[in-house]
Every structure is written in structure tokens, then in C-alpha cells.
Amino acid sequence: MFDKENYRNNIDSHPLFQKGNEILEMVIQITDLIPETEDHLNTIKRIMLEDALMLTSKVAGAEGGDLYDLRMECAALIRKAARNLMVQNHTLEMFGFEHTEYFDIVRKLIEEYRLLFIDWVAGFDKWNYIVDDWGLFNPPGIGPFDGENSSL
């Protein structure tokens, strides 16, 4: 039986989830400095907030799904979101945001997150999987045609 409270407590105490929350809080503080009248900057703000939210929501999804292919898919989306965040200060600067120096804090937090991420992914159980018939997120040595569930 799924124990929602236990799951929530485990996610809340997960180091990667906690660091993702730190990043989200910092991104919120920085993007709160964007004037509402700046259309381009508000578009960037929305994108940054979406990327920052991915750092926690996809950890929760991976931990809840537990299958290797689902965890790797979440990990790939986390990596993409984190890399997007790393370069957003250039976009902010291009559109005239005055406080890009604060973004160095986000970059430092993302580097800390990246180190936790490496350990997290290394701990994925490669033998708890369903064959990914698209071939992207299978464990090493497993191909898209290796399982009974292949739809091709």
C-alpha cells in the first residue's frame, strides 16, 4: 500500500530535493526584482521559474516511479532545466535586467546541486527497469527490442 505521508517525508528530506528548493527560493527572490511592465523579462521570469520548479518536481517523480527508465527520463529533464538556468543571466542581461550579479548565487547553488545529482543518478538501480522501446533510457546493454513490452 502506498504511504503518502512516508513518501512526502522521504522526498522533503532528500538532499537533492532540498537543494532544488534552495535554488527555487533564490530564483523567486531574483525574479521578484523584475518590474511587471517589462514584457520580455517577464517571459524570461516565467521560464526561469518553470526550470527551477523542475529541479524538485522531477526528483519527486523519479523517486516515486523508481523504475530506471523513468528515473533517467526525469534526470535528463532535470539536467536540461539546470543547464537552462545556468545561462539565463545572459538573457536577463540582454534584456536590461539591472541585478544580474545576484545570478552568481544561483550558479553556485546549481553547481552544488550538480554534485548531488551525480551521486543520485549513480545510485539508480539499473536492474529495476521496463524496456524503453524508444531506446533512450534503458540500462547499459539493454536495447529497445529486448523486452516483451516492445510496441515496435
Side-chain angles (χ1 to χ4, degrees):
M1 184 77 152
F2 181 73
D3 183 353
K4 184 177 179 180
E5 187 172 327
N6 187 38
Y7 169 76
R8 187 71 221 172
N9 289 337
N10 287 338
I11 291 299
D12 287 343
S13 65
H14 196 288
L16 196 61
F17 188 85
Q18 291 175 342
K19 186 59 70 176
N21 271 332
E22 273 186 70
I23 293 167
L24 175 60
E25 290 171 17
M26 183 55 59
V27 168
I28 289 170
Q29 289 178 22
I30 292 169
T31 57
D32 279 350
L33 299 171
I34 294 173
E36 288 189 28
T37 58
E38 298 289 332
D39 288 339
H40 290 334
L41 286 174
N42 276 285
T43 298
I44 302 308
K45 174 181 179 173
R46 182 186 52 76
I47 292 167
M48 289 173 60
L49 290 170
E50 287 174 4
D51 284 335
L53 280 165
M54 283 277 198
L55 304 182
T56 54
S57 65
K58 292 303 174 185
V59 169
E63 291 299 307
D66 194 38
L67 293 169
Y68 182 83
D69 59 311
L70 296 176
R71 292 175 70 113
M72 286 303 289
E73 183 175 345
C74 288
L77 293 170
I78 289 168
R79 178 181 177 262
K80 180 182 182 307
R83 290 172 59 116
N84 286 347
L85 274 174
M86 285 291 280
V87 298
Q88 286 300 342
N89 67 320
H90 300 299
T91 309
L92 290 171
E93 191 173 52
M94 184 176 77
F95 286 109
F97 182 62
E98 297 176 23
H99 308 287
T100 55
E101 69 277 4
Y102 295 130
F103 214 79
D104 288 337
I105 298 167
V106 173
R107 286 178 155 209
K108 180 181 175 288
L109 290 170
I110 291 172
E111 178 58 19
E112 293 169 4
Y113 186 93
R114 185 184 69 82
L115 297 174
L116 292 169
F117 177 86
I118 291 169
D119 290 338
W120 178 63
V121 171
F124 290 178
D125 181 358
K126 292 175 179 59
W127 300 111
N128 184 23
Y129 70 93
I130 295 173
V131 172
D132 173 11
D133 55 8
W134 287 76
L136 288 177
F137 301 113
N138 289 315
I142 304 297
F145 304 107
D146 289 346
E148 293 178 22
N149 68 328
S150 180
S151 62
L152 300 177

PDB file of all heavy atoms in Angstrom, residues 99-132:
ATOM      1  N   HIS A  99      20.022  43.567 -12.140  1.00  0.00           N
ATOM      2  CA  HIS A  99      20.584  42.866 -10.988  1.00  0.00           C
ATOM      3  C   HIS A  99      21.158  41.490 -11.338  1.00  0.00           C
ATOM      4  O   HIS A  99      21.015  40.538 -10.579  1.00  0.00           O
ATOM      5  CB  HIS A  99      19.517  42.715  -9.899  1.00  0.00           C
ATOM      6  CG  HIS A  99      18.853  43.992  -9.530  1.00  0.00           C
ATOM      7  ND1 HIS A  99      19.479  44.971  -8.784  1.00  0.00           N
ATOM      8  CD2 HIS A  99      17.629  44.482  -9.828  1.00  0.00           C
ATOM      9  CE1 HIS A  99      18.665  45.987  -8.611  1.00  0.00           C
ATOM     10  NE2 HIS A  99      17.532  45.718  -9.251  1.00  0.00           N
ATOM     11  N   THR A 100      21.839  41.389 -12.465  1.00  0.00           N
ATOM     12  CA  THR A 100      22.361  40.087 -12.898  1.00  0.00           C
ATOM     13  C   THR A 100      23.449  39.564 -11.962  1.00  0.00           C
ATOM     14  O   THR A 100      23.713  38.364 -11.958  1.00  0.00           O
ATOM     15  CB  THR A 100      22.914  40.149 -14.334  1.00  0.00           C
ATOM     16  OG1 THR A 100      23.889  41.187 -14.411  1.00  0.00           O
ATOM     17  CG2 THR A 100      21.814  40.378 -15.342  1.00  0.00           C
ATOM     18  N   GLU A 101      24.070  40.423 -11.158  1.00  0.00           N
ATOM     19  CA  GLU A 101      25.113  39.958 -10.238  1.00  0.00           C
ATOM     20  C   GLU A 101      24.560  38.948  -9.225  1.00  0.00           C
ATOM     21  O   GLU A 101      25.276  38.072  -8.752  1.00  0.00           O
ATOM     22  CB  GLU A 101      25.779  41.129  -9.511  1.00  0.00           C
ATOM     23  CG  GLU A 101      24.915  41.853  -8.494  1.00  0.00           C
ATOM     24  CD  GLU A 101      23.982  42.921  -9.074  1.00  0.00           C
ATOM     25  OE1 GLU A 101      23.923  43.092 -10.306  1.00  0.00           O
ATOM     26  OE2 GLU A 101      23.315  43.580  -8.261  1.00  0.00           O
ATOM     27  N   TYR A 102      23.273  39.040  -8.913  1.00  0.00           N
ATOM     28  CA  TYR A 102      22.668  38.088  -7.978  1.00  0.00           C
ATOM     29  C   TYR A 102      22.605  36.686  -8.562  1.00  0.00           C
ATOM     30  O   TYR A 102      22.499  35.710  -7.837  1.00  0.00           O
ATOM     31  CB  TYR A 102      21.255  38.532  -7.576  1.00  0.00           C
ATOM     32  CG  TYR A 102      21.220  39.806  -6.792  1.00  0.00           C
ATOM     33  CD1 TYR A 102      20.362  40.830  -7.152  1.00  0.00           C
ATOM     34  CD2 TYR A 102      22.033  40.000  -5.683  1.00  0.00           C
ATOM     35  CE1 TYR A 102      20.315  42.006  -6.435  1.00  0.00           C
ATOM     36  CE2 TYR A 102      21.992  41.176  -4.958  1.00  0.00           C
ATOM     37  CZ  TYR A 102      21.132  42.178  -5.334  1.00  0.00           C
ATOM     38  OH  TYR A 102      21.095  43.326  -4.623  1.00  0.00           O
ATOM     39  N   PHE A 103      22.673  36.623  -9.860  1.00  0.00           N
ATOM     40  CA  PHE A 103      22.555  35.326 -10.503  1.00  0.00           C
ATOM     41  C   PHE A 103      23.763  34.435 -10.231  1.00  0.00           C
ATOM     42  O   PHE A 103      23.685  33.225 -10.365  1.00  0.00           O
ATOM     43  CB  PHE A 103      22.303  35.482 -12.002  1.00  0.00           C
ATOM     44  CG  PHE A 103      21.419  34.401 -12.523  1.00  0.00           C
ATOM     45  CD1 PHE A 103      20.058  34.456 -12.326  1.00  0.00           C
ATOM     46  CD2 PHE A 103      21.949  33.296 -13.162  1.00  0.00           C
ATOM     47  CE1 PHE A 103      19.231  33.444 -12.766  1.00  0.00           C
ATOM     48  CE2 PHE A 103      21.134  32.272 -13.615  1.00  0.00           C
ATOM     49  CZ  PHE A 103      19.775  32.353 -13.411  1.00  0.00           C
ATOM     50  N   ASP A 104      24.880  35.021  -9.815  1.00  0.00           N
ATOM     51  CA  ASP A 104      26.040  34.205  -9.437  1.00  0.00           C
ATOM     52  C   ASP A 104      25.694  33.274  -8.273  1.00  0.00           C
ATOM     53  O   ASP A 104      26.244  32.176  -8.167  1.00  0.00           O
ATOM     54  CB  ASP A 104      27.232  35.091  -9.075  1.00  0.00           C
ATOM     55  CG  ASP A 104      27.834  35.765 -10.292  1.00  0.00           C
ATOM     56  OD1 ASP A 104      27.647  35.255 -11.417  1.00  0.00           O
ATOM     57  OD2 ASP A 104      28.498  36.803 -10.122  1.00  0.00           O
ATOM     58  N   ILE A 105      24.782  33.685  -7.416  1.00  0.00           N
ATOM     59  CA  ILE A 105      24.336  32.842  -6.303  1.00  0.00           C
ATOM     60  C   ILE A 105      23.628  31.603  -6.860  1.00  0.00           C
ATOM     61  O   ILE A 105      23.858  30.483  -6.393  1.00  0.00           O
ATOM     62  CB  ILE A 105      23.406  33.630  -5.357  1.00  0.00           C
ATOM     63  CG1 ILE A 105      24.153  34.816  -4.754  1.00  0.00           C
ATOM     64  CG2 ILE A 105      22.839  32.726  -4.274  1.00  0.00           C
ATOM     65  CD1 ILE A 105      23.252  35.827  -4.050  1.00  0.00           C
ATOM     66  N   VAL A 106      22.791  31.808  -7.865  1.00  0.00           N
ATOM     67  CA  VAL A 106      22.081  30.686  -8.482  1.00  0.00           C
ATOM     68  C   VAL A 106      23.079  29.728  -9.120  1.00  0.00           C
ATOM     69  O   VAL A 106      22.970  28.509  -8.954  1.00  0.00           O
ATOM     70  CB  VAL A 106      21.041  31.177  -9.519  1.00  0.00           C
ATOM     71  CG1 VAL A 106      20.435  30.012 -10.280  1.00  0.00           C
ATOM     72  CG2 VAL A 106      19.965  32.000  -8.845  1.00  0.00           C
ATOM     73  N   ARG A 107      24.063  30.266  -9.794  1.00  0.00           N
ATOM     74  CA  ARG A 107      25.066  29.413 -10.434  1.00  0.00           C
ATOM     75  C   ARG A 107      25.829  28.575  -9.408  1.00  0.00           C
ATOM     76  O   ARG A 107      26.093  27.395  -9.630  1.00  0.00           O
ATOM     77  CB  ARG A 107      26.039  30.256 -11.246  1.00  0.00           C
ATOM     78  CG  ARG A 107      25.430  30.764 -12.513  1.00  0.00           C
ATOM     79  CD  ARG A 107      26.395  31.626 -13.273  1.00  0.00           C
ATOM     80  NE  ARG A 107      26.006  31.586 -14.662  1.00  0.00           N
ATOM     81  CZ  ARG A 107      26.839  31.722 -15.660  1.00  0.00           C
ATOM     82  NH1 ARG A 107      28.111  31.910 -15.429  1.00  0.00           N
ATOM     83  NH2 ARG A 107      26.404  31.683 -16.895  1.00  0.00           N
ATOM     84  N   LYS A 108      26.156  29.170  -8.278  1.00  0.00           N
ATOM     85  CA  LYS A 108      26.852  28.440  -7.214  1.00  0.00           C
ATOM     86  C   LYS A 108      25.959  27.321  -6.670  1.00  0.00           C
ATOM     87  O   LYS A 108      26.409  26.190  -6.473  1.00  0.00           O
ATOM     88  CB  LYS A 108      27.240  29.396  -6.088  1.00  0.00           C
ATOM     89  CG  LYS A 108      27.963  28.756  -4.928  1.00  0.00           C
ATOM     90  CD  LYS A 108      28.271  29.796  -3.850  1.00  0.00           C
ATOM     91  CE  LYS A 108      28.893  29.176  -2.621  1.00  0.00           C
ATOM     92  NZ  LYS A 108      27.981  28.383  -1.824  1.00  0.00           N
ATOM     93  N   LEU A 109      24.691  27.626  -6.452  1.00  0.00           N
ATOM     94  CA  LEU A 109      23.754  26.617  -5.952  1.00  0.00           C
ATOM     95  C   LEU A 109      23.558  25.485  -6.960  1.00  0.00           C
ATOM     96  O   LEU A 109      23.458  24.314  -6.583  1.00  0.00           O
ATOM     97  CB  LEU A 109      22.406  27.256  -5.619  1.00  0.00           C
ATOM     98  CG  LEU A 109      22.374  28.171  -4.396  1.00  0.00           C
ATOM     99  CD1 LEU A 109      21.051  28.927  -4.325  1.00  0.00           C
ATOM    100  CD2 LEU A 109      22.626  27.383  -3.125  1.00  0.00           C
ATOM    101  N   ILE A 110      23.524  25.825  -8.243  1.00  0.00           N
ATOM    102  CA  ILE A 110      23.374  24.794  -9.270  1.00  0.00           C
ATOM    103  C   ILE A 110      24.597  23.887  -9.309  1.00  0.00           C
ATOM    104  O   ILE A 110      24.476  22.676  -9.498  1.00  0.00           O
ATOM    105  CB  ILE A 110      23.072  25.412 -10.655  1.00  0.00           C
ATOM    106  CG1 ILE A 110      21.678  26.026 -10.653  1.00  0.00           C
ATOM    107  CG2 ILE A 110      23.200  24.362 -11.759  1.00  0.00           C
ATOM    108  CD1 ILE A 110      21.343  26.826 -11.889  1.00  0.00           C
ATOM    109  N   GLU A 111      25.778  24.444  -9.091  1.00  0.00           N
ATOM    110  CA  GLU A 111      26.983  23.607  -9.044  1.00  0.00           C
ATOM    111  C   GLU A 111      26.898  22.633  -7.859  1.00  0.00           C
ATOM    112  O   GLU A 111      27.238  21.450  -7.997  1.00  0.00           O
ATOM    113  CB  GLU A 111      28.243  24.462  -8.955  1.00  0.00           C
ATOM    114  CG  GLU A 111      29.530  23.669  -8.855  1.00  0.00           C
ATOM    115  CD  GLU A 111      29.772  22.691 -10.016  1.00  0.00           C
ATOM    116  OE1 GLU A 111      29.161  22.820 -11.098  1.00  0.00           O
ATOM    117  OE2 GLU A 111      30.589  21.773  -9.822  1.00  0.00           O
ATOM    118  N   GLU A 112      26.429  23.094  -6.719  1.00  0.00           N
ATOM    119  CA  GLU A 112      26.240  22.208  -5.565  1.00  0.00           C
ATOM    120  C   GLU A 112      25.192  21.144  -5.894  1.00  0.00           C
ATOM    121  O   GLU A 112      25.357  19.967  -5.539  1.00  0.00           O
ATOM    122  CB  GLU A 112      25.805  23.018  -4.339  1.00  0.00           C
ATOM    123  CG  GLU A 112      26.879  23.964  -3.828  1.00  0.00           C
ATOM    124  CD  GLU A 112      26.373  24.964  -2.788  1.00  0.00           C
ATOM    125  OE1 GLU A 112      25.186  24.891  -2.388  1.00  0.00           O
ATOM    126  OE2 GLU A 112      27.172  25.828  -2.387  1.00  0.00           O
ATOM    127  N   TYR A 113      24.146  21.550  -6.566  1.00  0.00           N
ATOM    128  CA  TYR A 113      23.082  20.631  -6.989  1.00  0.00           C
ATOM    129  C   TYR A 113      23.641  19.572  -7.935  1.00  0.00           C
ATOM    130  O   TYR A 113      23.330  18.390  -7.814  1.00  0.00           O
ATOM    131  CB  TYR A 113      21.971  21.439  -7.671  1.00  0.00           C
ATOM    132  CG  TYR A 113      20.745  20.650  -8.044  1.00  0.00           C
ATOM    133  CD1 TYR A 113      19.659  20.572  -7.182  1.00  0.00           C
ATOM    134  CD2 TYR A 113      20.649  20.006  -9.272  1.00  0.00           C
ATOM    135  CE1 TYR A 113      18.508  19.863  -7.535  1.00  0.00           C
ATOM    136  CE2 TYR A 113      19.519  19.298  -9.628  1.00  0.00           C
ATOM    137  CZ  TYR A 113      18.443  19.228  -8.747  1.00  0.00           C
ATOM    138  OH  TYR A 113      17.324  18.525  -9.092  1.00  0.00           O
ATOM    139  N   ARG A 114      24.479  20.002  -8.877  1.00  0.00           N
ATOM    140  CA  ARG A 114      25.060  19.087  -9.862  1.00  0.00           C
ATOM    141  C   ARG A 114      25.851  17.972  -9.182  1.00  0.00           C
ATOM    142  O   ARG A 114      25.757  16.801  -9.570  1.00  0.00           O
ATOM    143  CB  ARG A 114      25.966  19.853 -10.831  1.00  0.00           C
ATOM    144  CG  ARG A 114      26.527  19.003 -11.966  1.00  0.00           C
ATOM    145  CD  ARG A 114      27.500  19.804 -12.820  1.00  0.00           C
ATOM    146  NE  ARG A 114      28.728  20.104 -12.109  1.00  0.00           N
ATOM    147  CZ  ARG A 114      29.755  19.241 -11.988  1.00  0.00           C
ATOM    148  NH1 ARG A 114      29.706  18.045 -12.545  1.00  0.00           N
ATOM    149  NH2 ARG A 114      30.847  19.597 -11.340  1.00  0.00           N
ATOM    150  N   LEU A 115      26.608  18.309  -8.160  1.00  0.00           N
ATOM    151  CA  LEU A 115      27.397  17.300  -7.453  1.00  0.00           C
ATOM    152  C   LEU A 115      26.495  16.293  -6.729  1.00  0.00           C
ATOM    153  O   LEU A 115      26.777  15.090  -6.726  1.00  0.00           O
ATOM    154  CB  LEU A 115      28.365  17.976  -6.486  1.00  0.00           C
ATOM    155  CG  LEU A 115      29.418  18.874  -7.162  1.00  0.00           C
ATOM    156  CD1 LEU A 115      30.238  19.609  -6.117  1.00  0.00           C
ATOM    157  CD2 LEU A 115      30.297  18.091  -8.121  1.00  0.00           C
ATOM    158  N   LEU A 116      25.416  16.775  -6.126  1.00  0.00           N
ATOM    159  CA  LEU A 116      24.444  15.872  -5.504  1.00  0.00           C
ATOM    160  C   LEU A 116      23.758  15.003  -6.558  1.00  0.00           C
ATOM    161  O   LEU A 116      23.498  13.818  -6.342  1.00  0.00           O
ATOM    162  CB  LEU A 116      23.387  16.673  -4.735  1.00  0.00           C
ATOM    163  CG  LEU A 116      23.859  17.418  -3.488  1.00  0.00           C
ATOM    164  CD1 LEU A 116      22.772  18.382  -3.002  1.00  0.00           C
ATOM    165  CD2 LEU A 116      24.256  16.440  -2.391  1.00  0.00           C
ATOM    166  N   PHE A 117      23.467  15.603  -7.699  1.00  0.00           N
ATOM    167  CA  PHE A 117      22.803  14.923  -8.807  1.00  0.00           C
ATOM    168  C   PHE A 117      23.628  13.734  -9.296  1.00  0.00           C
ATOM    169  O   PHE A 117      23.097  12.646  -9.543  1.00  0.00           O
ATOM    170  CB  PHE A 117      22.584  15.944  -9.935  1.00  0.00           C
ATOM    171  CG  PHE A 117      21.968  15.400 -11.188  1.00  0.00           C
ATOM    172  CD1 PHE A 117      20.594  15.318 -11.319  1.00  0.00           C
ATOM    173  CD2 PHE A 117      22.763  15.000 -12.258  1.00  0.00           C
ATOM    174  CE1 PHE A 117      20.012  14.840 -12.488  1.00  0.00           C
ATOM    175  CE2 PHE A 117      22.197  14.524 -13.428  1.00  0.00           C
ATOM    176  CZ  PHE A 117      20.826  14.441 -13.537  1.00  0.00           C
ATOM    177  N   ILE A 118      24.939  13.924  -9.434  1.00  0.00           N
ATOM    178  CA  ILE A 118      25.826  12.858  -9.911  1.00  0.00           C
ATOM    179  C   ILE A 118      25.719  11.638  -8.998  1.00  0.00           C
ATOM    180  O   ILE A 118      25.570  10.506  -9.470  1.00  0.00           O
ATOM    181  CB  ILE A 118      27.280  13.363 -10.006  1.00  0.00           C
ATOM    182  CG1 ILE A 118      27.403  14.382 -11.155  1.00  0.00           C
ATOM    183  CG2 ILE A 118      28.257  12.201 -10.191  1.00  0.00           C
ATOM    184  CD1 ILE A 118      28.713  15.144 -11.165  1.00  0.00           C
ATOM    185  N   ASP A 119      25.771  11.870  -7.683  1.00  0.00           N
ATOM    186  CA  ASP A 119      25.650  10.761  -6.731  1.00  0.00           C
ATOM    187  C   ASP A 119      24.275  10.119  -6.796  1.00  0.00           C
ATOM    188  O   ASP A 119      24.135   8.897  -6.697  1.00  0.00           O
ATOM    189  CB  ASP A 119      25.922  11.244  -5.301  1.00  0.00           C
ATOM    190  CG  ASP A 119      27.384  11.601  -5.084  1.00  0.00           C
ATOM    191  OD1 ASP A 119      28.247  11.126  -5.838  1.00  0.00           O
ATOM    192  OD2 ASP A 119      27.660  12.371  -4.137  1.00  0.00           O
ATOM    193  N   TRP A 120      23.251  10.934  -6.954  1.00  0.00           N
ATOM    194  CA  TRP A 120      21.872  10.441  -7.018  1.00  0.00           C
ATOM    195  C   TRP A 120      21.692   9.498  -8.206  1.00  0.00           C
ATOM    196  O   TRP A 120      21.198   8.381  -8.063  1.00  0.00           O
ATOM    197  CB  TRP A 120      20.923  11.639  -7.101  1.00  0.00           C
ATOM    198  CG  TRP A 120      19.481  11.329  -7.221  1.00  0.00           C
ATOM    199  CD1 TRP A 120      18.684  10.673  -6.323  1.00  0.00           C
ATOM    200  CD2 TRP A 120      18.617  11.705  -8.302  1.00  0.00           C
ATOM    201  NE1 TRP A 120      17.387  10.619  -6.767  1.00  0.00           N
ATOM    202  CE2 TRP A 120      17.324  11.249  -7.983  1.00  0.00           C
ATOM    203  CE3 TRP A 120      18.813  12.402  -9.488  1.00  0.00           C
ATOM    204  CZ2 TRP A 120      16.228  11.458  -8.823  1.00  0.00           C
ATOM    205  CZ3 TRP A 120      17.732  12.606 -10.318  1.00  0.00           C
ATOM    206  CH2 TRP A 120      16.452  12.137  -9.989  1.00  0.00           C
ATOM    207  N   VAL A 121      22.123   9.925  -9.387  1.00  0.00           N
ATOM    208  CA  VAL A 121      21.974   9.113 -10.598  1.00  0.00           C
ATOM    209  C   VAL A 121      22.805   7.827 -10.486  1.00  0.00           C
ATOM    210  O   VAL A 121      22.345   6.759 -10.902  1.00  0.00           O
ATOM    211  CB  VAL A 121      22.354   9.919 -11.859  1.00  0.00           C
ATOM    212  CG1 VAL A 121      22.425   9.036 -13.094  1.00  0.00           C
ATOM    213  CG2 VAL A 121      21.366  11.058 -12.082  1.00  0.00           C
ATOM    214  N   ALA A 122      23.980   7.924  -9.884  1.00  0.00           N
ATOM    215  CA  ALA A 122      24.821   6.738  -9.731  1.00  0.00           C
ATOM    216  C   ALA A 122      24.131   5.675  -8.870  1.00  0.00           C
ATOM    217  O   ALA A 122      24.422   4.481  -9.007  1.00  0.00           O
ATOM    218  CB  ALA A 122      26.169   7.115  -9.119  1.00  0.00           C
ATOM    219  N   GLY A 123      23.214   6.086  -8.029  1.00  0.00           N
ATOM    220  CA  GLY A 123      22.512   5.151  -7.162  1.00  0.00           C
ATOM    221  C   GLY A 123      21.268   4.512  -7.771  1.00  0.00           C
ATOM    222  O   GLY A 123      20.611   3.703  -7.108  1.00  0.00           O
ATOM    223  N   PHE A 124      20.930   4.837  -9.002  1.00  0.00           N
ATOM    224  CA  PHE A 124      19.755   4.237  -9.641  1.00  0.00           C
ATOM    225  C   PHE A 124      19.979   2.731  -9.813  1.00  0.00           C
ATOM    226  O   PHE A 124      21.047   2.299 -10.228  1.00  0.00           O
ATOM    227  CB  PHE A 124      19.491   4.849 -11.016  1.00  0.00           C
ATOM    228  CG  PHE A 124      19.014   6.269 -11.020  1.00  0.00           C
ATOM    229  CD1 PHE A 124      18.797   6.921 -12.225  1.00  0.00           C
ATOM    230  CD2 PHE A 124      18.768   6.986  -9.863  1.00  0.00           C
ATOM    231  CE1 PHE A 124      18.351   8.232 -12.271  1.00  0.00           C
ATOM    232  CE2 PHE A 124      18.323   8.296  -9.886  1.00  0.00           C
ATOM    233  CZ  PHE A 124      18.112   8.921 -11.097  1.00  0.00           C
ATOM    234  N   ASP A 125      18.963   1.961  -9.533  1.00  0.00           N
ATOM    235  CA  ASP A 125      19.017   0.506  -9.694  1.00  0.00           C
ATOM    236  C   ASP A 125      18.828   0.168 -11.170  1.00  0.00           C
ATOM    237  O   ASP A 125      17.720   0.252 -11.707  1.00  0.00           O
ATOM    238  CB  ASP A 125      17.927  -0.152  -8.846  1.00  0.00           C
ATOM    239  CG  ASP A 125      17.923  -1.670  -8.945  1.00  0.00           C
ATOM    240  OD1 ASP A 125      18.735  -2.237  -9.708  1.00  0.00           O
ATOM    241  OD2 ASP A 125      17.092  -2.282  -8.258  1.00  0.00           O
ATOM    242  N   LYS A 126      19.904  -0.213 -11.824  1.00  0.00           N
ATOM    243  CA  LYS A 126      19.876  -0.497 -13.265  1.00  0.00           C
ATOM    244  C   LYS A 126      19.069  -1.745 -13.606  1.00  0.00           C
ATOM    245  O   LYS A 126      18.729  -1.977 -14.751  1.00  0.00           O
ATOM    246  CB  LYS A 126      21.302  -0.632 -13.797  1.00  0.00           C
ATOM    247  CG  LYS A 126      22.076   0.660 -13.768  1.00  0.00           C
ATOM    248  CD  LYS A 126      23.519   0.449 -14.181  1.00  0.00           C
ATOM    249  CE  LYS A 126      24.326   1.713 -14.189  1.00  0.00           C
ATOM    250  NZ  LYS A 126      24.420   2.409 -12.945  1.00  0.00           N
ATOM    251  N   TRP A 127      18.764  -2.568 -12.613  1.00  0.00           N
ATOM    252  CA  TRP A 127      18.038  -3.812 -12.875  1.00  0.00           C
ATOM    253  C   TRP A 127      16.562  -3.712 -12.539  1.00  0.00           C
ATOM    254  O   TRP A 127      15.822  -4.666 -12.697  1.00  0.00           O
ATOM    255  CB  TRP A 127      18.708  -4.969 -12.160  1.00  0.00           C
ATOM    256  CG  TRP A 127      20.108  -5.104 -12.661  1.00  0.00           C
ATOM    257  CD1 TRP A 127      21.243  -4.843 -11.967  1.00  0.00           C
ATOM    258  CD2 TRP A 127      20.508  -5.437 -13.987  1.00  0.00           C
ATOM    259  NE1 TRP A 127      22.336  -5.005 -12.779  1.00  0.00           N
ATOM    260  CE2 TRP A 127      21.914  -5.372 -14.031  1.00  0.00           C
ATOM    261  CE3 TRP A 127      19.826  -5.778 -15.155  1.00  0.00           C
ATOM    262  CZ2 TRP A 127      22.637  -5.647 -15.181  1.00  0.00           C
ATOM    263  CZ3 TRP A 127      20.553  -6.048 -16.300  1.00  0.00           C
ATOM    264  CH2 TRP A 127      21.937  -5.986 -16.309  1.00  0.00           C
ATOM    265  N   ASN A 128      16.120  -2.549 -12.127  1.00  0.00           N
ATOM    266  CA  ASN A 128      14.695  -2.303 -11.880  1.00  0.00           C
ATOM    267  C   ASN A 128      14.186  -1.444 -13.034  1.00  0.00           C
ATOM    268  O   ASN A 128      14.139  -0.215 -12.931  1.00  0.00           O
ATOM    269  CB  ASN A 128      14.504  -1.614 -10.527  1.00  0.00           C
ATOM    270  CG  ASN A 128      13.043  -1.435 -10.186  1.00  0.00           C
ATOM    271  OD1 ASN A 128      12.176  -2.136 -10.684  1.00  0.00           O
ATOM    272  ND2 ASN A 128      12.770  -0.468  -9.332  1.00  0.00           N
ATOM    273  N   TYR A 129      13.858  -2.077 -14.129  1.00  0.00           N
ATOM    274  CA  TYR A 129      13.506  -1.316 -15.322  1.00  0.00           C
ATOM    275  C   TYR A 129      12.415  -2.003 -16.123  1.00  0.00           C
ATOM    276  O   TYR A 129      12.154  -3.193 -15.962  1.00  0.00           O
ATOM    277  CB  TYR A 129      14.733  -1.120 -16.224  1.00  0.00           C
ATOM    278  CG  TYR A 129      15.208  -2.384 -16.891  1.00  0.00           C
ATOM    279  CD1 TYR A 129      14.754  -2.734 -18.164  1.00  0.00           C
ATOM    280  CD2 TYR A 129      16.093  -3.227 -16.253  1.00  0.00           C
ATOM    281  CE1 TYR A 129      15.186  -3.904 -18.779  1.00  0.00           C
ATOM    282  CE2 TYR A 129      16.532  -4.399 -16.852  1.00  0.00           C
ATOM    283  CZ  TYR A 129      16.073  -4.729 -18.111  1.00  0.00           C
ATOM    284  OH  TYR A 129      16.489  -5.883 -18.724  1.00  0.00           O
ATOM    285  N   ILE A 130      11.804  -1.226 -16.961  1.00  0.00           N
ATOM    286  CA  ILE A 130      10.955  -1.704 -18.042  1.00  0.00           C
ATOM    287  C   ILE A 130      11.653  -1.211 -19.301  1.00  0.00           C
ATOM    288  O   ILE A 130      12.119  -0.070 -19.353  1.00  0.00           O
ATOM    289  CB  ILE A 130       9.530  -1.116 -17.948  1.00  0.00           C
ATOM    290  CG1 ILE A 130       8.838  -1.619 -16.686  1.00  0.00           C
ATOM    291  CG2 ILE A 130       8.722  -1.469 -19.187  1.00  0.00           C
ATOM    292  CD1 ILE A 130       7.499  -0.968 -16.416  1.00  0.00           C
ATOM    293  N   VAL A 131      11.735  -2.052 -20.317  1.00  0.00           N
ATOM    294  CA  VAL A 131      12.447  -1.659 -21.539  1.00  0.00           C
ATOM    295  C   VAL A 131      11.806  -0.405 -22.128  1.00  0.00           C
ATOM    296  O   VAL A 131      10.591  -0.338 -22.327  1.00  0.00           O
ATOM    297  CB  VAL A 131      12.454  -2.805 -22.569  1.00  0.00           C
ATOM    298  CG1 VAL A 131      13.027  -2.334 -23.908  1.00  0.00           C
ATOM    299  CG2 VAL A 131      13.256  -3.984 -22.042  1.00  0.00           C
ATOM    300  N   ASP A 132      12.644   0.588 -22.369  1.00  0.00           N
ATOM    301  CA  ASP A 132      12.208   1.802 -23.051  1.00  0.00           C
ATOM    302  C   ASP A 132      12.265   1.512 -24.546  1.00  0.00           C
ATOM    303  O   ASP A 132      13.350   1.451 -25.133  1.00  0.00           O
ATOM    304  CB  ASP A 132      13.137   2.967 -22.682  1.00  0.00           C
ATOM    305  CG  ASP A 132      12.861   4.228 -23.473  1.00  0.00           C
ATOM    306  OD1 ASP A 132      11.830   4.299 -24.175  1.00  0.00           O
ATOM    307  OD2 ASP A 132      13.683   5.164 -23.402  1.00  0.00           O
TER     308      ASP A 132
END
